[in-house]
Amino acid sequence: MLTIRYFAGARAAAGGVSTEEISAGSLAELVQILTDRHGEQLSLVLKVASFLVDGLTCHDRRAALPTDATVDILPPFAGG
């Protein structure tokens, strides 16, 4: 089971959920599950989000996810 943590706009797009547990084998599978669960608005955020898997950036959405990993979903941030 993965622990998913949503930040900023990802949290808003997930309906205010900050953390949830999901079973998925890869980021691609996780994105599909989260899109099915939370809808199109989160899907749009996930397309441009960064993912941290146990604190490390993961760019390969097909890579296997470790069992019991924590996945942080970070939308692009605006700043000055």
Side-chain angles (χ1 to χ4, degrees):
M1 205 53 112
L2 304 168
T3 300
I4 311 304
R5 299 190 307 183
Y6 299 95
F7 292 87
R11 181 180 298 162
V17 173
S18 60
T19 304
E20 65 182 321
E21 292 190 348
I22 304 277
S23 182
S26 68
L27 284 179
E29 183 181 358
L30 177 63
V31 166
Q32 185 60 56
I33 291 167
L34 296 177
T35 296
D36 292 346
R37 182 176 288 188
H38 296 289
E40 184 64 24
Q41 189 165 354
L42 182 59
S43 174
L44 295 172
V45 172
L46 295 174
K47 288 179 183 177
V48 296
S50 296
F51 296 88
L52 299 180
V53 179
D54 288 337
L56 300 173
T57 302
C58 183
H59 298 289
D60 183 358
R61 292 190 179 204
R62 294 173 291 156
L65 292 170
T67 304
D68 297 326
T70 296
V71 179
D72 295 329
I73 300 175
L74 307 165
F77 293 95

